[in-house]
Amino acid sequence: MKDPRIIVAIDAPSLDEALRLAARLKPELCRLKVGKELFTACGPAIIEKLMALGFQVFLDLKFHDIPNTVAGACAAAASLGVWMLNVHASGGPRMLDAAREAVDKSAQRPLLIAVTVLTSLQQEDLFQLGFVEEPQALVFRLAGLAREAGFDGVVCSAHEAAPMKERFGRDFRLVTPGIRLAGDAMGDQRRVMTPQEAVQAGSDYVVIGRSITASDDPLSRLLTINSDLAAIPLRSRIG
Ligand code: C5P
């Protein structure tokens, strides 16, 4: 498979555990997402080891700092050879420009993705932070800033995928967590979609954690999801 749409979230606390999980997956069937917990525990070694196994890595560190610092962090991440990285759009236009310029200068340019509004924030939290807009309007405002800064896409809910594609175009990549397979426990996720529903709505990449990693047979789950996605007629794929 040339461009697998599944990104498996390896939310493990240690190098050994992460590698044990990765050994049960296949690089031709998915990419892997390394987040703050695993990266803080293991450092760049985990990226090198996963890449040595043939996996492409989404480094999900959501940088948010002054432009100069974020530019340096993006350059450092790009030099590790990661496939995708992300920053918070709320860092503002100058920070977004600095991030994009940094990845543009890298030898192997990763995809640069913005986080808009954390789904853990509810309307009341946003009011307390001084944001008076509806959460949805804020998501679109921040995605617009990322688009203007030349970002490759955003992390968003699959529920926002269709209007997001309509507004920002087919090439603006949508990375969607909050995915569950039919019959799975919801866990702490609330508004979930299946991988098929998400891709039909316009998602380019589905981030799936526990529905794969907590399964007894992660590889067969990957195969099933990939074949479900392949069965979606091309015309209904917005991306
Ligand atoms: O296990 P699960 O499929 O819920 O994992 C989803 C992954 O996506 C986790 O790494 C989680 O931190 C991340 N994520 C999310 N919701 C967001 C953004 C990121 O679940 N809005």
Side-chain angles (χ1 to χ4, degrees):
M1 190 174 305
K2 256 178 59 199
D3 184 19
R5 283 169 179 267
I6 303 173
I7 301 174
V8 179
I10 303 278
D11 292 320
S14 70
L15 191 87
D16 285 352
E17 219 166 295
L19 292 178
R20 255 199 305 278
L21 252 173
R24 305 184 70 191
L25 305 169
K26 284 211 161 103
E28 57 274 25
L29 300 178
C30 64
R31 270 99 174 200
L32 303 182
K33 179 172 91 66
V34 171
K36 285 192 171 101
E37 179 187 12
L38 186 56
F39 192 79
T40 303
C42 309
I46 184 64
I47 309 291
E48 286 157 23
K49 287 193 192 301
L50 294 175
M51 286 177 56
L53 293 172
F55 289 99
Q56 290 188 309
V57 175
F58 169 19
L59 186 58
D60 178 21
L61 296 183
K62 303 186 181 71
F63 297 132
H64 188 178
D65 211 311
I66 58 171
N68 191 50
T69 301
V70 166
C74 289
S79 73
L80 294 175
V82 300
W83 163 71
M84 176 182 278
L85 64 90
N86 60 3
V87 310
H88 272 285
S90 54
R94 282 188 302 116
M95 193 205 82
L96 296 174
D97 286 342
R100 203 249 314 126
E101 282 162 22
V103 300
D104 281 352
K105 279 189 219 143
S106 62
Q108 217 189 329
R109 189 190 184 284
L111 290 172
L112 182 61
I113 301 293
V115 175
T116 57
V117 179
L118 293 173
T119 45
S120 52
L121 292 173
Q122 295 172 345
Q123 180 140 29
E124 201 186 313
D125 302 315
L126 292 169
F127 277 139
Q128 282 185 324
L129 290 170
F131 294 105
V132 290
E133 267 174 320
E134 288 289 313
Q136 185 82 353
L138 187 57
V139 165
F140 282 101
R141 172 197 293 281
L142 291 167
L145 290 181
R147 179 83 171 127
E148 271 168 40
F151 271 52
D152 299 298
V154 287
V155 180
C156 68
S157 157
H159 294 272
E160 290 150 4
M164 199 65 95
K165 280 283 179 189
E166 205 170 294
R167 195 135 156 192
F168 299 113
R170 312 163 63 94
D171 296 338
F172 198 55
R173 290 177 181 75
L174 304 181
V175 179
T176 61
I179 303 290
R180 285 289 175 273
L181 308 196
D184 273 354
M186 299 268 278
D188 49 5
Q189 300 280 12
R190 286 294 167 262
R191 296 166 69 222
V192 296
M193 276 201 189
T194 66
Q196 264 178 309
E197 287 167 342
V199 169
Q200 264 160 345
S203 170
D204 295 285
Y205 300 108
V206 286
V207 176
I208 310 177
R210 289 158 289 182
S211 284
I212 291 176
T213 57
S215 137
D216 291 337
D217 189 353
L219 193 56
S220 85
R221 287 232 147 171
L222 266 184
L223 287 166
T224 308
I225 302 168
N226 272 312
S227 75
D228 287 350
L229 294 182
I232 299 174
L234 264 180
R235 66 178 175 286
S236 74
R237 292 185 193 164
I238 300 173

